[in-house]
Amino acid sequence: MLWFILRRVASGVVLVAAISFIAYFLLYLAGGDIARRILGDTATVEVVAKKTTELGLDRPFFVRYSEWLGGALSGDLGRSWFTGELVSVSVVNRVGVTLSIVVGTIIISAVVSVVLGVLAARRGGWVDSLIQFITMLGFALPGFLIALGLVLVFAVELGWFKATGYIPLDDSVVGWLSSVTLPILALSFGAVAAVAQQIRGSVIDAMSRDYVRTLRSRGLPANSVIYRHVLRNAGGPALAVLALQFVGMLGGAVIIEQMFAIPGMGQLTVQSTVRGDIPVVMGLVIVFAIIVLIVNLVIDVAQAVLNPKVRLS
C-alpha cells in the first residue's frame, strides 16, 4: 500500500509539471497586449513598453516559464499583475469557499445516491421507474437552469436561503448554511443522477451472484446482506464515478459561483482568465490539479479498503 501511494505521488508530481507547462504555453499563445490592459487606453507607448519589460513579457517563452517554475518550486507563485496581491494569498482565501461547496456536494450526492440506487434495485417496478425518471432529469437539465429554479423558489419566493453572496463559517453557521445550500443542491443533481445509476446497476448485478444467494439461504436479514456485503462490492465502481463527478464539480463550480456571486476559486478563475492575469491563473491551475490528484488517490485507497480483492500494486 505504501509503495503504491509513493508511486502515485511521484507520477502526480510529473503530471502536475506537465499540466503547468501546457497551461503556461496556452496562456502564452493567448497573451495579447497585457501591459496595455493593465495600464488602460490612456497610457503612452513608452509607459506600456516599460511595463512590458517590467513584467518580462518581451522575453522568450522558455525563459518566462523556467522563471515561473523556479519560483513555484520554492513556494513563490508570484503576484497578480492587476491587483499586486500575492497569488498564494488569493488562492488560499478562496480555496476553502470552493471546497466547502464541492465537498458538501459530494457528501449529499453520496448519501442520496446510495438511498436511491438501493431503493431502485430492491423495489423495482414503479419505484425503479420513478427513480430512473428523476435521474434522467438530473442528466438532462443543465446545472445553471437548476440553480435558477432553486433561487426563484427557495430564495425569492420562500426566502429560506440567500440568493447571492457568501457568509464565512466563522461568522455565522446559520448564515454559512444559508449561503451554500442552494449552490450545493444545484451541483448535486447531476452527480446524484450518475452515481445512483451506477449503484443501482452494481447492486442488481451483485444480488444475482452466488455468494448473495448463499448468504440469504443461511437466513441473514435482507438489510444485512445489502448493506454489509452487496454495497461493499458495489461501492468500488460508484466511488470511481464519484471521483469523476468531483472533477466535473470543480468545473461546474465556475458557473455556479458566478451565478450565486460566491467569491471562490471558480469566480477568481473567470476574472483572471478574462484579464490575462497569468500568475493567478497558473496558481489556480496548480491547485486544481493537486486537489484532483489527492481525491483520486483517496478514492483508490478507499476502493481497496472496501474490497480487499482490489490490487493496488
Side-chain angles (χ1 to χ4, degrees), residues 44-64:
T44 63
V45 175
E46 291 76 16
V47 173
V48 172
K50 183 180 178 182
K51 190 67 176 179
T52 300
T53 304
E54 178 187 329
L55 296 177
L57 297 173
D58 54 348
R59 282 177 287 178
F61 165 75
F62 284 103
V63 174
R64 290 168 57 183

Side-chain angles (χ1 to χ4, degrees), residues 5 11 46 103 154 172 201 263 271 295:
I5 294 174
S11 64
E46 291 76 16
V103 172
F154 294 104
S172 168
Q271 293 172 351
V295 169

